[in-house]
């Protein structure tokens, strides 16, 4: 039976893991999930939590024990949660978090403890985090590529940037500099804001004064609507591009009329209906969206729900492989999971087709992204 245990994040833990707990074979697979269901990142974490209602309750005949903790988007809380999964729950697999900074924290603990980690947000996978971590969201270079191609096709020469003043904002700005400038785009202004900010008036004034042909917003969740709205209110009429972190119905709800005409990179789960029948992402995307909207209402679909849902589709492929050589609750099972992540190929999910390798911990290609715009308050595929 799948047990979903919800709890507030605990206080900060010590700086190093204590001695790792002794492991013993069990009759269930324990999955610890640290996500952001409160705070500025809640618009990402709540759909991820909701999606767990529609995932497998057992895999390979073995029940799943799922423990969910809220980290509030705080790296310290995420570290505490991850350590609890290691020392108290003796988790076989760890997932999370919903936003980049706490995801880095979870990955650090998972790699220190030697536990497979499936991230639900993009984050920099450095060599010290590469052995045990993979991530479900699309890599930023793949999502950025479709935006810069559209800019080039529409004669954009100059670009302004406004993004989070954290590692997520850094990832997008660095990609704009690398890929965008290689395609002839000139970055004329860079502005930053914090996730909890309620105003970006000063930053937007500078962007409008720079008068770029287009502006890229490197933000996620509901906060992505803040610069979108402010730019239109200040009379900016150029193209505005949003990253895949903003692709949700909440963005339209909060931005209102200012959302009209935005161009947004997105995972295919936001529009499986317009995919060809041959697309491997169509069937899982329809399955999730139909179940999600039946429970949470029309147009409630979310690509963040897709990340959590897809993580379990990956587990449905790899856990049976791991069970052939090891039992849950053991170090051998953790290693078998890690190996199966690398050996299983073409894992079809709502957001892409996964082929993880030792060098590619995202495992995705161009099938994992689409380009959307907003027309009459609804997302429409840009063809």
């Amino acid at each position: 039976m799948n047990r979903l245990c919800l709890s507030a994040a605990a206080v900060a833990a010590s700086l190093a893991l204590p001695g790792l707990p002794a492991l013993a074979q069990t009759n269930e697979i324990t999955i610890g999930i640290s996500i952001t269901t409160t705070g500025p990142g809640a618009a990402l974490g709540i759909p991820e939590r909701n999606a767990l209602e529609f995932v497998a309750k057992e895999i390979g005949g073995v029940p799943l024990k799922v423990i969910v903790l809220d980290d509030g988007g705080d790296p310290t809380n995420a570290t505490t949660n991850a350590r609890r999964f290691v020392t108290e729950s003796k988790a076989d697999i760890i997932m999370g978090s919903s936003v980049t900074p706490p995801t880095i924290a979870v990955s650090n603990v998972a790699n220190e403890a030697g536990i497979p980690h499936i991230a639900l947000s993009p984050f920099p996978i450095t060599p010290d985090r590469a052995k045990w971590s993979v991530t479900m969201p699309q890599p930023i270079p793949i999502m950025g590529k479709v935006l810069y191609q559209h800019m080039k096709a529409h004669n954009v020469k100059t670009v302004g940037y406004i993004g989070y003043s954290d590692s997520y904002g850094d990832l997008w700005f660095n990609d704009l500099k690398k890929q965008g400038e290689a395609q002839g785009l000139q970055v004329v202004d860079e502005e930053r804001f914090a996730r909890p900010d309620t105003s970006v008036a000063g930053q937007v004034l500078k962007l409008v004064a720079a008068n770029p042909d287009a502006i890229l917003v490197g933000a996620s969740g509901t906060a992505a609507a803040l610069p979108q709205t402010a730019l239109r209110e200040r009379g900016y009429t150029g193209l505005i591009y949003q990253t895949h972190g903003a692709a949700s119905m909440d963005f339209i709800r909060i931005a209102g009329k200012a959302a009209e005409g935005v161009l947004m990179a997105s995972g295919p789960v936001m529009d499986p209906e317009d995919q060809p029948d041959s697309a491997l992402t169509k069937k899982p995307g329809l399955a999730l969206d139909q179940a999600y909207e039946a429970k949470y209402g029309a147009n409630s679909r979310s690509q963040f729900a897709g990340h959590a849902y897809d993580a379990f589709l990956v587990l449905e492929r790899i856990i049976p492989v791991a069970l052939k050589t090891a039992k849950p609750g053991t170090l051998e099972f953790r290693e078998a999971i890690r190996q199966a992540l690398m050996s299983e190929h073409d894992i079809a999910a709502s957001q892409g087709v996964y082929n993880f390798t030792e060098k590619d911990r995202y495992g995705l290609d161009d099938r994992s992204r689409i380009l959307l715009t907003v027309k009459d308050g609804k997302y429409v595929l840009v063809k």
Side-chain angles (χ1 to χ4, degrees):
M1 179 178 182
N2 190 48
R3 299 192 298 175
L4 195 60
C5 309
L6 302 180
S7 170
V11 296
S14 58
L15 294 178
L17 278 170
L20 295 180
L23 298 181
Q25 179 178 319
T26 66
N27 294 321
E28 60 187 1
I29 297 168
T30 300
I31 302 171
I33 306 178
S34 180
I35 50 177
T36 304
T37 54
T38 59
L44 288 67
I46 290 173
E48 291 169 351
R49 181 190 64 192
N50 292 345
L52 300 178
E53 300 175 37
F54 314 116
V55 303
K57 306 300 185 285
E58 64 175 39
I59 298 176
V62 181
L64 304 183
K65 177 184 178 182
V66 179
I67 305 167
V68 181
L69 299 178
D70 173 32
D71 56 40
D74 185 293
T76 301
N77 290 342
T79 298
T80 300
N81 290 347
R83 286 175 175 159
R84 288 180 61 182
F85 297 146
V86 174
T87 60
E88 297 176 17
S89 307
K90 300 179 176 58
D92 297 294
I93 300 159
I94 296 176
M95 292 185 189
S97 179
S98 310
V99 294
T100 300
T103 298
I104 294 172
V106 174
S107 177
N108 289 340
V109 174
N111 277 271
E112 182 180 348
I115 298 178
H117 167 229
I118 301 177
L120 302 179
S121 70
F123 76 108
I125 304 180
T126 55
D128 57 322
R129 302 186 195 116
K131 181 174 182 179
W132 293 97
S133 291
V134 298
T135 188
M136 303 308 298
Q138 300 86 344
I140 284 170
I142 284 179
M143 304 307 273
K145 178 181 175 183
V146 71
L147 298 181
Y148 313 137
Q149 287 176 339
H150 188 275
M151 291 179 190
K152 187 175 181 180
H154 288 77
N155 203 34
V156 170
K157 303 295 185 184
T158 57
V159 183
Y161 178 80
I162 179 168
Y164 285 148
S165 54
D166 64 19
S167 48
Y168 184 81
D170 293 343
L171 285 170
W172 269 102
F173 183 71
N174 292 340
D175 188 69
L176 172 61
K177 293 284 287 183
K178 183 178 181 179
Q179 285 202 88
E181 290 187 346
Q183 296 196 37
L185 302 173
Q186 180 186 0
V187 180
V188 295
D189 189 36
E190 175 196 358
E191 303 294 334
R192 299 298 187 103
F193 68 104
R195 291 175 185 263
D197 285 353
T198 58
S199 173
V200 290
Q203 297 95 318
V204 164
L205 284 173
K206 293 177 183 178
L207 283 166
V208 173
N211 195 30
D213 299 327
I215 293 173
L216 173 63
V217 181
S220 60
T222 55
L226 183 63
Q228 179 80 25
T229 304
L231 284 163
R232 292 311 189 203
E233 287 177 346
R234 290 291 179 178
Y236 181 74
T237 58
L239 297 173
I240 301 178
Y241 293 82
Q242 291 274 354
T243 70
H244 57 315
S248 71
M249 297 307 299
D250 283 334
F251 175 84
I252 296 177
R253 176 178 58 82
I254 293 173
K257 291 183 179 180
E260 291 291 310
V262 68
L263 292 149
M264 184 177 293
S266 172
V269 73
M270 292 299 290
D271 187 22
E273 292 85 354
D274 287 326
Q275 297 174 37
D277 290 341
S278 59
L280 295 179
T281 52
K282 183 169 187 173
K283 183 177 178 180
L286 287 172
L288 172 59
D289 288 351
Q290 290 168 2
Y292 199 95
E293 294 187 349
K295 176 71 179 288
Y296 294 103
N299 298 319
S300 60
R301 66 184 57 180
S302 164
Q303 73 166 9
F304 310 113
H307 298 326
Y309 183 80
D310 289 355
F312 280 80
L313 293 182
V314 169
L315 292 181
E316 287 187 54
R317 280 284 298 273
I318 67 171
I319 283 177
V321 175
L323 287 170
K324 292 178 181 179
T325 59
K327 299 296 183 181
T330 64
L331 294 174
E332 291 79 9
F333 187 66
R334 293 176 180 176
E335 175 62 21
I337 289 288
R338 191 186 74 81
Q339 293 287 348
L341 277 168
M342 302 300 107
S343 65
E344 291 300 294
H345 301 298
D346 292 331
I347 305 175
S350 73
Q351 291 277 62
V353 181
Y354 291 90
N355 288 281
F356 297 111
T357 69
E358 295 290 355
K359 294 184 178 181
D360 183 0
R361 315 305 282 189
Y362 284 84
L364 291 170
D365 54 27
D366 285 351
R367 291 174 290 182
S368 67
R369 63 32 170 189
I370 58 176
L371 186 64
L372 298 175
T373 188
V374 174
K375 183 178 181 181
D376 299 326
K378 297 180 179 179
Y379 284 115
V380 178
L381 187 68
V382 177
K383 298 182 180 180

